[in-house]
Amino acid sequence: MHSEHPWPMSPQEEDRIIDAAYRDVVAAYLASNHRRKVEVIERAFRFAREAHRGRRRRSGEPYILHPLAVAKIVISELGLGSTSICSALLHEVLEDADYARDDIADNFGDKIAAIVEGLAKISGGIMDARSTAQAENFRNLLLSMSTDIRVVLVKMADRLHNMRTLQFVRPEKQLKVAGETLYIYAPLAHRLGLHKIKSEFEDLAFRYEHPQEYAEIKEMLKATEEERKAIVEEFIAPVKEKLDAAGLKYEIRTRVKSAYSIWNKMHKKNIGFDEVYDVYAIRVIFENDDEAMEKLLCYKIYGIFTDGYTLHPERTRDWVSSPKANGYQALHLTAMGPKGKWVEVQIRSRKMDDIAELGYAAHWKYKEGIGGPESALDKCMGTIKDILAHPEPTSLDFLDTIRLNLFTSEIYVFTPRGEVKRLPKGSTVLDLAYAIHTDIGEHCIAGKINHKLKPLSHELDSGDQVEIITAANRHPESDWIGYAVTARAKAKIGQYLRKNES
């Protein structure tokens, strides 16, 4: 639905295009494994079409084409069902003064009304010029997210369509929207496990923020395309033979690293395009009906690659045994391919691939619930509630708290019993104490890190074994706020201090 049409055109022609776009949404929905609730989608479309009658987008096209495009992303790229599709179709109806939340609730029920209302509250830009409004929009985003994750998933689809049609917007607005996408929405997509959407956000934002570098990298990728194809084909030919001989059902996909990722790596490591070695990547996706065999098949395919290839010793990652926080599972290895080129290999089952591409949205595809992301989703929601409980921070502190607690990389530490605890990078002994239990946090006096005594303020590293030492007569003090990094610890310390102020 990129506006290649000369707008405006005759009303009959416009109606034909709108109807075709709607049929496209329904066809995608009917092709999914969701229950068939076409009637409510039809009503939502008619309601939205009436509400937006006469409105146009900056490209000149009828406004209703935008909600239809968002609904199509919601079903085709996020795999969500009728509730989210209806919410996407209605997501800007409340912007129109003639409609209120009750109108949506009366026609479509409370659940859809709540999602549409949540979307209306976060319709303003997050990178607002006024920092208080900025924090307020962000708080609304998190509030809506903690009540129903679908608010944020539909918002992601809305932002994706806006980014895909950003060429119709004024140049200064383009930069603002691109900057906000890179700062907020790409990390949030990453945290929610929406890998494809995160990559597209980054690439589209990069294209508007650094048009020259974007064009140069695209040109280099195009120039080396034939050579890349030949190297990958030569690399996978013997692997295919072995996979076939093992009787495995599989698909091999080649992946080109995104322009933004390449540029980022070139900048961070100060290297040239030729030195970015994971430009070449393949993904082996295998079919598997028996859940108990999933890990074994991953390692079996890994074994096929280790036989006859030189592996890069520092580039093997086992996300199967310990999945990432957003539920991502896969085995990664990097092997030496033809002409001395390193080739990155990702091994996943079909289900792992769906979860990798759809993240938390895969809940709606695998209705029985997916252990990894489910608990991770609860953890993410817990973090959001902790951030919201933080006592009246300034907008700048608020954004920093968000970025630290939701978007930064994580560390993994072990309790004396061998339990793994995930914390944001930079977390201290005090943060871990509060992560285990509020009581432990409130009575914490020190930590034994790998059998050495360390103070509350000591920063933890991944792999540390940590024993928290407590004392009954110990209680939080005002300087503890400075030792804490996580929103949970800060909020709990703040609550205690306020309650016990004399």
Side-chain angles (χ1 to χ4, degrees), residues 78 80 145 149 153 190-194 325-327 355 358-365 370 372-381:
L78 287 169
L80 302 177
M145 200 171 157
I149 190 74
L153 295 173
H190 175 67
R191 186 62 201 233
L192 292 171
L194 303 168
N326 57 21
I355 293 166
L358 294 173
Y360 294 138
H363 280 307
W364 282 271
K365 181 161 184 175
I370 36 184
E374 193 115 62
S375 52
L377 179 55
D378 293 341
K379 190 170 177 294
C380 188
M381 291 303 140

Side-chain angles (χ1 to χ4, degrees), residues 7-262:
W7 304 104
M9 51 181 67
S10 75
Q12 295 83 355
E13 189 58 23
E14 285 190 353
D15 284 345
R16 193 187 62 73
I17 288 167
I18 292 166
D19 288 337
Y22 170 66
R23 284 196 304 276
D24 209 19
V25 170
V26 173
Y29 175 64
L30 291 174
S32 75
N33 61 355
H34 288 281
R35 280 178 298 170
R36 308 284 170 256
K37 292 186 181 171
V38 178
E39 184 271 332
V40 68
I41 294 172
E42 170 97 25
R43 281 195 296 114
F45 165 59
R46 300 208 176 287
F47 192 98
R49 190 177 193 170
E50 194 48 48
H52 296 308
R53 194 170 293 285
R55 277 186 77 192
R56 294 194 175 268
R57 296 194 87 207
R58 197 167 280 276
S59 60
E61 70 185 24
Y63 201 85
I64 186 63
L65 286 175
H66 168 63
L68 279 164
V70 176
K72 179 73 190 297
I73 292 169
V74 157
I75 177 62
S76 297
E77 298 180 52
L78 287 169
L80 302 177
S82 59
T83 302
S84 302
I85 294 168
C86 291
S87 302
L89 289 168
L90 299 163
H91 81 276
E92 287 190 10
V93 161
L94 295 183
E95 307 283 300
D96 203 313
D98 295 341
Y99 296 93
R101 183 196 196 275
D102 290 350
D103 297 318
I104 309 274
D106 292 346
N107 283 278
F108 303 99
D110 267 338
K111 197 177 279 181
I112 288 172
I115 296 174
V116 172
E117 186 179 40
L119 287 159
K121 280 183 180 164
I122 54 175
S123 62
I126 286 168
M127 309 288 278
D128 199 284
R130 302 184 311 285
S131 56
T132 47
Q134 186 175 325
E136 199 45 49
N137 281 331
F138 218 137
R139 199 177 276 109
N140 285 333
L141 175 71
L142 295 183
L143 268 169
S144 61
M145 200 171 157
S146 63
T147 50
D148 192 328
I149 190 74
R150 285 174 292 192
V151 176
V152 170
L153 295 173
V154 175
K155 181 68 184 172
M156 288 283 177
D158 175 41
R159 174 53 59 120
L160 190 57
H161 185 246
N162 283 333
M163 285 299 290
R164 285 174 179 172
T165 53
L166 203 56
Q167 70 267 37
F168 301 110
V169 172
R170 295 188 313 278
E172 65 276 17
K173 179 92 186 282
Q174 284 177 347
L175 283 174
K176 180 181 177 292
V177 173
E180 186 177 281
T181 299
L182 212 48
Y183 187 79
I184 304 293
Y185 287 99
L188 193 51
H190 175 67
R191 186 62 201 233
L192 292 171
L194 303 168
H195 181 75
K196 256 166 104 170
I197 287 177
K198 171 204 173 243
S199 292
E200 193 173 344
F201 276 157
E202 288 174 342
D203 252 25
L204 288 167
F206 175 45
R207 180 178 154 193
Y208 287 98
E209 288 198 327
H210 300 278
Q212 196 180 334
E213 287 97 326
Y214 176 84
E216 282 167 7
I217 289 172
K218 280 289 190 194
E219 195 48 54
M220 286 189 274
L221 282 169
K222 205 173 161 193
T224 56
E225 191 177 3
E226 290 304 313
E227 186 199 6
R228 267 201 328 274
K229 270 188 186 162
I231 283 171
V232 167
E233 274 172 29
E234 191 180 330
F235 176 80
I236 58 179
V239 175
K240 275 183 169 173
E241 277 179 30
K242 289 177 183 174
L243 291 171
D244 290 341
L248 291 163
K249 281 174 73 180
Y250 66 92
E251 172 194 354
I252 292 183
R253 286 192 207 143
T254 54
R255 173 193 68 78
V256 177
K257 200 169 176 66
S258 73
Y260 175 79
S261 296
I262 292 170

Side-chain angles (χ1 to χ4, degrees), residues 459-487:
E459 192 178 312
L460 301 171
D461 285 322
S462 238
D464 280 346
Q465 187 169 40
V466 189
E467 182 185 348
I468 301 294
I469 298 166
T470 58
N473 61 354
R474 175 72 152 176
H475 298 291
E477 296 162 16
S478 55
D479 56 353
W480 281 24
I481 289 273
Y483 301 156
V485 162
T486 61

